Amino acid sequence: MRNKFDEQLLHLNQKMIGMGALCERFIALAAEALISGDTKGAEEIIEHGHEIDEMEREIEAICLKLLLHQQPVASDLRQISAALKMITDMERIGDQAEDIAEIIPLLQGRTGKELADFKPMAEATSKMVTDSIEAFVKRDLELAKSVSKQDDIVDNCFVNVRAKLIDMITDTNTDGEYAVDILMIAKYFERIGDHAVNIAEWVAFSVTGVHKGL
């Protein structure tokens, strides 16, 4: 019975890794489209956005099956309940990548290339998602804790982008609509970072039984 349960937990972990990888790809595509001005990446996000929703439903079904048909001990219950919480945040990361993708065509060929903080911001958010999922699979508490520290990079990048946009509007008469669109994109990246922190906090809960928000 336990062997069967362990096999299903492994299947759950594999699905979590797959969902996390798709989130990472969407983040990378959104950043690339923003910096290059090429809308193909944005179109791919919109076209495949439903796949994250499907993964969320599939993982929910796996978790419910584990809860209903197996006999999980306390640590197993924490792992399963954490997974259910984590996929909610991953689904929202997918939504926010789609929000960015929908703004890209509105820029009408203009890019965020001159705002150097977007690249490290996107890289940091992607790494946060990667590390939080890896921490869940490996039950690595220290790696989960490191995700929150990485969020400082994202927050600092957002502050820098906002300050740069203010300067651009003041000094160069930058189009206000463009500035608002770019600021919204920066805000979506910041929110992705916040969701990655949420994921990491649920990983910590799965290991320790303690969640800082509870």
Side-chain angles (χ1 to χ4, degrees):
M1 180 67 75
R2 181 68 206 187
N3 287 342
K4 179 66 174 177
F5 185 80
D6 288 340
E7 287 177 9
Q8 291 177 336
L9 277 181
L10 178 60
H11 182 53
L12 170 63
N13 287 344
Q14 291 169 339
K15 291 295 182 181
M16 295 287 286
I17 291 169
M19 189 173 182
L22 190 56
C23 287
E24 293 159 31
R25 174 160 179 76
F26 280 10
I27 293 168
L29 285 170
E32 183 181 345
L34 173 64
I35 293 169
S36 70
D38 186 347
T39 61
K40 289 182 180 178
E43 291 167 1
E44 182 176 336
I45 294 171
I46 294 169
E47 182 180 352
H48 295 280
H50 64 93
E51 292 178 13
I52 284 186
D53 296 332
E54 292 169 1
M55 287 181 172
E56 181 186 26
R57 289 191 291 270
E58 188 175 354
I59 292 171
E60 281 179 346
I62 293 169
C63 289
L64 291 175
K65 185 176 179 180
L66 284 166
L67 291 171
L68 293 173
H69 299 295
Q70 303 294 337
Q71 296 179 329
V73 298
S75 60
D76 297 327
L77 283 170
R78 290 199 304 270
Q79 188 173 1
I80 296 166
S81 59
L84 286 167
K85 293 290 187 179
M86 291 165 64
I87 59 174
T88 298
D89 279 293
M90 283 195 280
E91 188 272 336
R92 289 174 181 167
I93 287 172
D95 285 346
Q96 279 148 9
E98 284 191 73
D99 289 333
I100 293 171
E102 289 171 358
I103 293 174
I104 299 295
L106 302 179
L107 299 177
Q108 298 180 333
R110 300 185 67 178
T111 71
K113 188 175 182 179
E114 58 193 299
L115 297 160
D117 288 279
F118 269 119
K119 185 175 180 180
M121 193 180 198
E123 289 174 348
T125 54
S126 182
K127 188 174 189 304
M128 288 168 72
V129 174
T130 301
D131 287 352
S132 59
I133 300 300
E134 183 178 343
F136 175 76
V137 172
K138 294 182 176 179
R139 300 183 64 75
D140 187 332
L141 184 58
E142 291 307 311
L143 184 57
K145 289 179 178 178
S146 75
V147 173
S148 295
K149 296 176 183 177
Q150 295 173 55
D151 194 41
D152 292 338
I153 299 172
V154 178
D155 291 341
N156 288 337
C157 287
F158 174 75
V159 170
N160 291 341
V161 168
R162 184 174 59 188
K164 178 66 173 176
L165 285 171
I166 291 171
D167 289 343
M168 288 168 63
I169 292 171
T170 303
D171 299 337
T172 63
N173 295 317
T174 295
D175 176 28
E177 187 174 348
Y178 164 79
V180 169
D181 287 339
I182 289 291
L183 185 60
M184 284 299 298
I185 289 173
K187 190 63 180 176
Y188 285 132
F189 274 119
E190 185 197 32
R191 288 177 182 170
I192 288 172
D194 290 341
H195 286 303
V197 170
N198 289 345
I199 293 169
E201 288 175 351
W202 283 111
V203 173
F205 167 79
S206 74
V207 176
T208 67
V210 177
H211 189 282
K212 64 181 294 184
L214 300 178

